[in-house]
Amino acid sequence: MLDPETQKETVFDQMTAQTSISDNVLLFEEAYGMTKALLGGKGHGLVEMTHAGLPVPPGITITTKVCNQYYKNNQRFPVDLMPMVMEKMKAIEERTGKKFGKSLLVSVRSGAPLSMPGMMDTILNLGLNDEVLEYMIASTRNERFAYDAYRRFIQMYGKIVEHIEGKEFEDLIEKKKQERGIRQDVELTVDDLRDLVTVFKSLFTERTGKEFPSDPEDQLKSAIEAVLLSWNGKRAIEYRRFYKIDDSMGTAVSIVAMVFGNFGDSSGSGVGFTRNPSTGEKKLYSEFLVNAQGEDVVSGARTPLSIEEIHERFPDLYAQLLKIAERLEKHYFDMQDFEFTVEMGKLWMLQTRTGKRSAQAAVNIAMDFVKEELISREQAILRVEPSQLDQLLHKHIDPSAKFTPVVRGIAASPGAAIGKAVFDTNRAAELGKKGEKIILIRRETAPEDIHGMIASEGVLTQRGGKTCHAAVVARGMGKPAVVGAEQLLILDNQATTGSTIIREGDIITIDGGTGDVILGAVRLVDAEISRDLETFLSWADAIKTNGVWANADTPTMVANALKFGAEGFGLVRTERMFNAKERLPFVQRLILSDSTEERKNWLNKLGVFQTQDFYEIFIAANGRPVVIRLLDLPQHEFLHAPASPDLAEPIKKKLPSLKEDNPMLGHRGSRLGMTWPEIYEMQTQAIWNAKIRAEAEAVKVRAEIMLPLIVHVNEMSRLRAIIEKIAPNVPIGTMIETPRAALTAGEIAGSADFFSFGTNDLTQMTFGVSRDDAEGKFLVKYVEDKVLPYNPFETIDKEGVGRLMKLAVEEGRKANPRLEIGICGEAGGDPESIEFFVNEVGVNYTSCSPFRVPIARLASAHAALKGRSASKDKTYHSTL
């Protein structure tokens, strides 16, 4: 999610008819003071570091306004953009003492306002051609470096601008290494690289039908347009959809003078985090590749040096990184992810941004920043996205389990996962969409693998370090990842280590906390809330304004919900109680009964079970509110299979009379209570008896009774009268789950003590669709094609369903000012929906499944802070 400032700026005046190019092509020093929404995250970081005097190569940023104008104008390249870019290039030439088209090379980089690591495109070494190559060789006296830079440029340009399959270039490199009997790119000689330049150019011509471009200005124009187009590339769209990022933000483009990490053993490139992104430990976390460019580190093609090895081999570099990390944190008040290059011993900073981190790290870093008096508790709460907490509730390997790992890689993203081994990204995406649990196994991942990673339970790679693409993206998604398992040889859809072969479809377990890879399934156990997380959530509880309750049908579920911090129970369903094996014979005989007296006989037997059910739940709830929904399920649902042989024939005869064309809209809910009131009488009596029994044991009971599927005030008033005779002074309310109930809420509220919105059914009724059918047939396509902005069964439809809810609350509270409002559908655990429920609907509580309670607690605090606009991060200032 965007911080409020960036979200507000995203809308800005991008939609204006004209965008002034001169105001939107700026040198880094000219852009100081502009926001991330305009400069993009990468451009903003470069501008801030330049202003602070950190070692940043000179460069230009083209703002996101240009990107949005480009798409608004049907992807027509602005005619006045290149003249302005070339004018600014003169300033870069002056600062570097180099000439573009001769000795000055540049990188062209994307940069969205919100970090999207690896999802858009970057081109390095731009400006190279045969003539420039000869100049570089003469001026640097390093022929290998020059050819290495050239082959990289042709490869990136061909892949990004002309969409040549990247694997074709990689295969040519692999072929050359096999011919030479070498394993690493750095072992390629000048002659090898010269040959690769030749074959790369031939491949380019073969695939495009034209010669590789030699005019640096033409190269630059094509690269800028390729970056703009990458905003709507497949992987960027997939990533935005996964993280619910606004499509209208656009990307900025940064053009930066090249500094070279592939200049020899005194050069290299690296990535760092100011704190450990997996644990949050306050310790510099960095990796460095000697004689490499940045793409080598991120891709994971080579395993880099760790921070300890940097300290040992390059102590001066280590000391500089420590100082820069400290300055960045004091400036941004947050953990930073930075990229750097060392060119012939000189350090250059190429990027800084708020670092992606695991949920554990997010909580620990936020709490540490409060202890260090850098931010407030309110700011700390906003630093952790509610959805991240799902990671902390991931299962992990049972400590008592006995197993022998087949290989151990680098522990890159915490949690454990079990699934079928799949080696192809498209295959992974296909199987994942079908609901299969899979582990994606790759040599290394690239941005093109995003859809396969989204569909997977976890990721395993042969190559890479803790800052490689697979590690960063998996941590951001909260998926377990093991990288750099170099003992694995991945080839032809199988992975081999020693005598062990992992084939496609084999079940494996990976542990992203230890790096273990295990053949077969190992027992996993549920996570528990740590002391640190409970402290953090207690800060959230002190801020939130609404209650966070849980949906629970059994004492075990109640106990689990309490463990996660539930303050009450907004939905106790009774249908599952009727489906229990020892009760089903009574239920079936009840349905088969021909008279009220006969039904009451079977209901009395069921009442004994129900009383015990409610008593155990009241004991477990220990004085917290418990909202019990009376029976809602259609009768035929209990007759799928005879509970005993003697019932087979009677059920067969009865079923035709119970048949309904649309049972979910038929004889169910309160309609059942109206026609067979003795069912609700039995349930109410059981609630009352359980209440008396528990209170006799000095347990406070706060029972509430909820009537399902009320659509008319007469249903509400008549059923209330029945309940009140049995259970006086017990609050009675209804679940609002039909449009009519919402539209006539003012009438219904006169006979209700509370409303609880059943968001699942209300969404189905409002959209006129069956959730199961819609999600299985067309809803995914609707979201992909932007017919709908999101799945309305995951996040509440504010304009339709939400409007009904607001109307119901307004008219309900007008008729009954003491009316309590709750949410008991799945949307009660969705952070975006919670913000709407708290700030626009005005609920007293939300209720969700037990394991989503921590998420709802934090989301409720976010909603409260955003509702009062109380907490903004400290304004950036020049402490660098």
Side-chain angles (χ1 to χ4, degrees):
M1 296 290 291
L2 279 174
D3 59 85
E5 178 197 11
T6 306
Q7 186 70 59
K8 182 170 61 180
E9 286 287 345
T10 301
V11 183
F12 48 60
D13 51 349
Q14 291 174 343
M15 303 309 292
T16 54
Q18 296 295 326
T19 295
S20 170
I21 292 298
S22 61
D23 294 334
N24 290 283
V25 179
L26 303 161
L27 296 169
F28 292 162
E29 56 267 34
E30 296 172 333
Y32 181 69
M34 298 175 77
T35 65
K36 282 185 187 178
L38 282 169
L39 301 177
K42 189 174 271 107
H44 188 267
L46 290 166
V47 166
E48 290 278 317
M49 290 192 293
T50 297
H51 179 77
L54 291 180
V56 177
I60 303 162
T61 291
I62 300 170
T63 74
T64 55
K65 281 189 177 183
V66 174
C67 178
N68 282 281
Q69 196 68 27
Y70 174 76
Y71 281 103
K72 186 179 178 182
N73 290 336
N74 298 316
Q75 299 178 22
R76 290 197 299 272
F77 197 87
V79 293
D80 49 350
L81 179 58
M82 284 310 296
M84 182 56 64
V85 168
M86 297 311 296
E87 182 65 29
K88 297 294 182 181
M89 286 291 290
K90 293 178 182 176
I92 297 178
E93 290 176 335
E94 289 178 12
R95 284 163 175 73
T96 60
K98 299 177 180 178
K99 183 76 174 173
F100 185 56
K102 191 170 185 181
S103 56
L104 173 63
L105 304 184
V106 297
S107 62
V108 181
R109 300 170 180 266
S110 59
L114 192 62
S115 177
M116 294 171 56
M119 294 306 113
M120 291 179 293
D121 291 328
T122 292
I123 296 177
L124 305 180
N125 308 328
L126 189 142
L128 263 169
N129 56 29
D130 292 349
E131 183 181 341
V132 174
L133 175 72
E134 293 305 319
Y135 180 87
M136 283 182 67
I137 293 170
S139 61
T140 64
R141 298 181 182 179
N142 190 334
E143 191 173 4
R144 188 195 182 282
F145 153 71
Y147 273 106
D148 185 46
Y150 201 10
R151 70 91 185 167
R152 289 172 185 269
F153 174 49
I154 298 169
Q155 183 175 353
M156 295 179 96
Y157 189 94
K159 177 183 173 183
I160 292 166
V161 176
E162 298 294 347
H163 309 294
I164 301 171
E165 186 68 39
K167 187 175 182 299
E168 294 196 61
F169 291 105
E170 290 296 335
D171 287 347
L172 290 172
I173 295 173
E174 287 300 316
K175 181 182 177 182
K176 175 60 71 173
K177 288 193 291 190
Q178 287 174 12
E179 288 174 0
R180 290 281 323 287
I182 58 177
R183 296 187 61 185
Q184 301 284 353
D185 292 3
V186 290
E187 297 175 90
L188 292 167
T189 65
V190 174
D191 290 338
D192 297 331
L193 292 167
R194 186 185 296 111
D195 290 345
L196 284 174
V197 166
T198 301
V199 294
F200 279 11
K201 283 184 176 181
S202 297
L203 174 64
F204 184 94
T205 301
E206 184 180 327
R207 293 288 176 267
T208 66
K210 55 189 177 185
E211 296 294 319
F212 188 79
S214 60
D215 185 327
E217 186 173 341
D218 289 344
Q219 294 173 356
L220 183 56
K221 178 183 176 182
S222 296
I224 292 169
E225 185 159 22
V227 169
L228 296 176
L229 287 168
S230 72
W231 173 251
N232 272 346
K234 180 181 177 183
R235 64 182 188 268
I237 291 172
E238 290 266 6
Y239 189 91
R240 292 201 298 273
R241 186 177 297 128
F242 183 83
Y243 283 104
K244 297 182 179 178
I245 296 172
D246 185 0
D247 285 335
S248 69
M249 291 166 57
T251 182
V253 182
S254 292
I255 302 166
V256 189
M258 280 297 302
V259 288
F260 299 97
N262 58 332
F263 222 124
D265 291 342
S266 64
S267 303
S269 295
V271 174
F273 291 83
T274 56
R275 303 192 185 208
N276 188 308
S278 291
T279 67
E281 180 185 5
K282 187 179 180 181
K283 180 182 177 183
L284 181 62
Y285 184 98
S286 184
E287 294 180 329
F288 182 67
L289 271 178
V290 176
N291 195 18
Q293 290 197 319
E295 58 172 321
D296 301 324
V297 185
V298 177
S299 72
R302 288 163 55 196
T303 300
L305 300 178
S306 67
I307 187 65
E308 292 77 15
E309 290 169 311
I310 297 172
H311 190 187
E312 182 181 339
R313 292 181 55 180
F314 304 100
D316 290 345
L317 171 61
Y318 178 81
Q320 290 180 75
L321 292 175
L322 277 181
K323 288 180 182 178
I324 287 174
E326 184 178 356
R327 292 175 71 185
L328 289 174
E329 281 200 348
K330 285 184 177 178
H331 180 70
Y332 286 103
F333 301 102
D334 204 350
M335 185 264 276
Q336 293 293 293
D337 162 7
F338 57 89
E339 294 180 11
F340 62 94
T341 283
V342 176
E343 182 184 75
M344 299 179 69
K346 178 173 174 53
L347 173 66
W348 293 94
M349 297 297 294
L350 303 182
Q351 174 173 290
T352 188
R353 61 187 175 191
T354 300
K356 295 284 184 184
R357 63 204 76 180
S358 71
Q360 178 188 347
V363 171
N364 291 342
I365 290 169
M367 293 179 71
D368 284 346
F369 271 61
V370 172
K371 291 175 189 173
E372 295 165 27
E373 299 184 347
L374 292 171
I375 61 175
S376 67
R377 286 187 178 184
E378 288 79 7
Q379 289 168 325
I381 290 297
L382 291 173
R383 288 285 171 85
V384 181
E385 284 298 324
S387 57
Q388 278 186 290
L389 295 190
D390 191 41
Q391 297 176 34
L392 294 181
L393 306 176
H394 280 180
K395 294 186 174 185
H396 56 272
I397 292 178
D398 186 342
S400 65
K402 294 181 179 179
F403 57 87
T404 301
V406 295
V407 69
R408 174 170 284 179
I410 296 170
S413 183
I418 300 172
K420 292 180 179 178
V422 177
F423 296 85
D424 179 77
T425 293
N426 294 327
R427 176 78 172 149
E430 176 189 333
L431 293 175
K433 285 182 179 178
K434 292 178 180 177
E436 294 200 38
K437 307 289 187 185
I438 60 160
I439 304 294
L440 178 64
I441 305 178
R442 305 285 285 167
R443 285 181 187 165
E444 68 262 351
T445 64
E448 292 78 13
D449 293 315
I450 184 68
H451 57 304
M453 296 181 73
I454 288 172
S456 303
E457 298 297 303
V459 180
L460 168 63
T461 69
Q462 177 183 341
R463 301 170 178 168
K466 290 184 178 181
T467 60
C468 72
H469 176 269
V472 171
V473 174
R475 277 197 298 270
M477 290 182 175
K479 294 179 184 286
V482 175
V483 302
E486 293 190 335
Q487 301 96 318
L488 284 179
L489 176 61
I490 297 174
L491 194 65
D492 298 328
N493 280 350
Q494 65 180 38
T496 304
T497 175
S499 61
T500 301
I501 300 175
I502 301 173
R503 296 180 174 86
E504 176 144 340
D506 287 349
I507 299 295
I508 65 168
T509 302
I510 64 170
D511 187 339
T514 63
D516 287 339
V517 180
I518 305 147
L519 197 57
V522 179
R523 183 171 180 269
L524 304 184
V525 294
D526 291 328
E528 294 188 356
I529 292 186
S530 67
R531 184 176 299 175
D532 284 344
L533 177 57
E534 189 49 61
T535 299
F536 183 76
L537 288 173
S538 73
W539 296 356
D541 292 340
I543 293 167
K544 68 182 179 63
T545 57
N546 61 291
V548 175
W549 297 7
N551 303 337
D553 305 337
T554 67
T556 301
M557 291 177 73
V558 168
N560 280 335
L562 291 176
K563 193 167 60 176
F564 290 122
E567 300 163 314
F569 301 91
L571 177 61
V572 175
R573 305 173 185 88
T574 56
E575 294 78 36
R576 296 178 188 177
M577 300 173 183
F578 281 68
N579 264 319
K581 185 178 180 181
E582 71 278 7
R583 308 174 193 195
L584 198 55
F586 301 131
V587 177
Q588 292 185 345
R589 286 182 166 86
L590 165 69
I591 295 170
L592 295 171
S593 299
D594 293 323
S595 67
T596 301
E597 290 71 24
E598 193 178 353
R599 280 196 294 273
K600 285 185 176 180
N601 174 55
W602 298 116
L603 284 168
N604 288 337
K605 297 181 185 299
L606 287 167
V608 176
F609 290 112
Q610 284 270 268
T611 300
Q612 183 67 20
D613 292 332
F614 298 139
Y615 164 77
E616 291 177 0
I617 286 173
F618 292 153
I619 295 295
N622 195 25
R624 295 169 182 85
V626 177
V627 179
I628 299 168
R629 185 181 72 185
L630 301 187
L631 189 65
D632 182 30
L633 211 62
Q635 297 170 68
H636 77 278
E637 292 281 351
F638 297 105
L639 300 178
H640 287 311
S644 61
D646 63 308
L647 291 173
E649 191 60 30
I651 287 175
K652 184 177 179 181
K653 290 180 180 179
K654 186 73 172 180
L655 275 174
S657 67
L658 297 177
K659 185 179 183 302
E660 295 177 306
D661 290 333
N662 194 337
M664 295 313 292
L665 295 177
H667 193 200
R668 58 167 284 213
S670 290
R671 298 154 198 166
L672 193 63
M674 290 290 288
T675 54
W676 286 8
E678 54 269 25
I679 294 178
Y680 283 8
E681 288 172 347
M682 178 276 288
Q683 289 193 290
T684 303
Q685 189 65 59
I687 292 168
W688 186 253
N689 292 345
K691 181 177 186 293
I692 292 171
R693 181 180 166 190
E695 288 177 339
E697 298 175 15
V699 175
K700 184 178 180 181
V701 175
R702 295 170 62 188
E704 302 181 24
I705 295 174
M706 181 157 64
L707 295 167
L709 209 65
I710 290 286
V711 297
H712 197 283
V713 64
N714 289 341
E715 293 173 319
M716 186 73 214
S717 60
R718 293 180 191 184
L719 289 172
R720 182 185 182 97
I722 292 171
I723 293 168
E724 283 183 320
K725 288 178 182 178
I726 302 168
N729 301 318
V730 171
I732 302 166
T734 183
M735 186 181 285
I736 302 293
E737 45 195 326
T738 71
R740 192 184 193 282
L743 293 168
T744 61
E747 296 177 11
I748 295 171
S751 298
D753 298 308
F754 65 88
F755 287 165
S756 184
F757 288 96
T759 54
N760 297 338
D761 274 356
L762 185 57
T763 299
Q764 289 190 112
M765 301 280 193
T766 303
F767 275 85
V769 299
S770 156
R771 175 177 184 167
D772 292 340
D773 291 336
E775 291 189 325
K777 298 281 174 43
F778 63 87
L779 197 51
V780 172
K781 182 166 179 57
Y782 263 45
V783 174
E784 287 178 351
D785 293 349
K786 300 182 183 177
V787 177
L788 293 174
Y790 45 76
N791 183 338
F793 292 105
E794 294 176 358
T795 298
I796 202 73
D797 162 44
K798 301 179 185 68
E799 292 77 16
V801 178
R803 187 176 178 190
L804 283 173
M805 295 173 71
K806 289 165 73 173
L807 177 68
V809 172
E810 181 184 342
E811 295 194 357
R813 282 183 170 153
K814 186 176 180 181
N816 179 2
R818 300 181 66 181
L819 188 72
E820 190 171 60
I821 305 295
I823 304 290
C824 62
E826 277 306 300
D830 173 62
E832 190 173 337
S833 300
I834 288 172
E835 184 178 343
F836 175 74
F837 297 149
V838 171
N839 293 331
E840 297 193 45
V841 177
V843 300
N844 298 96
Y845 66 86
T846 62
S847 190
C848 58
S849 61
F851 284 94
R852 291 193 70 78
V853 166
I855 295 168
R857 290 166 69 186
L858 182 56
S860 296
H862 275 229
L865 289 171
K866 292 172 184 176
R868 68 186 193 220
S869 299
S871 185
K872 289 186 178 180
D873 282 352
K874 293 181 181 179
T875 304
Y876 295 157
H877 52 83
S878 235
T879 57
L880 284 167

